[in-house]
């Protein structure tokens, strides 16, 4: 205890005594409370917990297909895609919004699906890596990644491709330095950064339909 606390106790003994008596009274009240009251309080806590895990219905369009879904409020968009809809192209990397592997597009804008709650996508348009190709025709960014060997192990590639498209759409692909800056949220542990940048530059130069 600091000197200030000693001074407080010395100068205000009545106040300290009142705090002690008040705390003792609360503890005694809890100890003497009827079992029915305690049980009621426990039931209210159980009800709140049950409400937290109760599934909530919502509607969303994913890769052009309308879905009527139900999820727990805590479910992330990433877990919805991978575990409920089996769209496993979107990868779970760090699960903390630091690696970019889970990048998808929501209403045309890139977002980190591991940090986005599924129920917050009510009425929105979500596009994942599975939704880019048109049948056997790959998206220009997918073709560019193959052409420039923009991947090695491939785990981060879906997020890199989705983010690369977003980078161009946002108007942030006008130079190598700008691409580096606006792709910095996507980590490639294999170190294929130069090839990724080359792929994005290629698509930007050709004005590919995004």
């Amino acid at each position: 205890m600091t000197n200030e606390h000693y001074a407080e106790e010395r100068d205000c003994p009545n106040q300290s005594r009142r705090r002690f008596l008040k705390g003792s009274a609360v503890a005694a009240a809890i100890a003497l409370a009827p079992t029915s009251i305690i049980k009621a309080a426990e039931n209210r806590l159980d009800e709140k917990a049950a409400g937290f895990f109760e599934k909530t219905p919502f509607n969303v369009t994913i890769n052009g297909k309308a879905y009527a879904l139900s999820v727990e409020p805590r479910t992330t968009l990433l877990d919805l895609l991978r575990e409920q809809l089996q769209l496993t192209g979107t990868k779970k990397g760090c699960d903390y919004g630091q690696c970019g592997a889970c990048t998808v597009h929501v209403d045309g804008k890139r977002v980190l699906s591991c940090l986005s709650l599924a129920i917050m996508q009510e009425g929105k348009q979500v596009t994942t890596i599975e939704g880019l190709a048109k049948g056997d025709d790959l998206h220009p960014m997918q073709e560019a990644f193959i052409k420039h060997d923009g991947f090695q192990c491939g785990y981060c590639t879906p997020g890199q491709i989705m983010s690369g498209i977003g980078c161009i759409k946002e108007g942030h692909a006008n130079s190598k330095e700008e691409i580096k800056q606006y792709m910095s949220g996507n980590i490639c542990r294999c170190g294929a950064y130069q090839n990724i940048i080359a792929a994005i530059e290629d698509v930007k130069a050709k004005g590919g339909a995004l």
Side-chain angles (χ1 to χ4, degrees):
M1 186 177 289
T2 64
N3 292 334
E4 289 80 0
H5 286 117
Y6 279 120
E8 180 183 348
E9 295 296 327
R10 189 170 57 248
D11 297 339
C12 306
N14 291 334
Q15 184 177 353
S16 298
R17 186 169 183 272
R18 281 196 298 272
R19 283 200 299 268
F20 171 76
L21 292 175
K22 185 182 293 185
S24 299
V26 171
I30 293 173
L32 297 175
T35 303
S36 59
I37 294 177
I38 295 175
K39 285 292 184 183
E42 290 175 348
N43 290 336
R44 284 196 293 271
L45 289 174
D46 289 342
E47 288 173 3
K48 288 182 179 180
F52 183 74
F53 294 108
E54 184 177 352
K55 290 189 175 183
T56 302
F58 74 108
N59 297 286
V60 63
T61 300
I62 301 175
N63 297 331
K65 181 180 178 180
Y67 289 87
L69 303 168
S70 293
V71 296
E72 294 177 0
R74 62 176 179 166
T75 303
T76 64
L77 176 57
L78 175 60
D79 287 340
L80 169 70
L81 294 172
R82 291 182 58 82
E83 297 176 12
Q84 189 165 332
L85 301 180
Q86 308 307 312
L87 294 171
T88 55
T90 304
K91 302 304 182 186
K92 179 178 286 192
C94 65
D95 209 22
Y96 289 101
Q98 297 179 355
C99 72
C102 68
T103 304
V104 299
H105 294 168
V106 175
D107 288 345
K109 298 180 180 179
R110 52 179 168 169
V111 302
L112 298 172
S113 59
C114 75
L115 298 183
S116 305
L117 291 175
I119 59 174
M120 298 304 292
Q121 314 314 313
E122 169 68 39
K124 295 182 179 180
Q125 302 272 344
V126 177
T127 303
T128 71
I129 191 71
E130 291 92 344
L132 293 185
K134 305 299 182 184
D136 293 331
D137 297 327
L138 295 178
H139 186 280
M141 189 65 75
Q142 291 173 308
E143 292 181 336
F145 265 66
I146 294 173
K147 174 183 176 182
H148 293 278
D149 196 19
F151 52 88
Q152 290 184 38
C153 79
Y155 194 83
C156 73
T157 303
Q160 297 279 5
I161 289 175
M162 300 304 287
S163 196
I165 295 170
C167 188
I168 294 176
K169 280 187 172 183
E170 295 160 11
H172 299 311
N174 300 306
S175 67
K176 278 187 172 64
E177 291 305 315
E178 190 174 38
I179 293 172
K180 287 180 183 178
Q181 179 181 352
Y182 285 91
M183 289 291 293
S184 61
N186 290 77
I187 295 174
C188 174
R189 291 176 173 82
C190 301
Y193 294 113
Q194 295 306 316
N195 296 350
I196 291 170
I197 293 171
I200 296 172
E201 286 183 311
D202 191 357
V203 176
K204 173 68 165 57
K206 292 178 179 178
L210 298 177

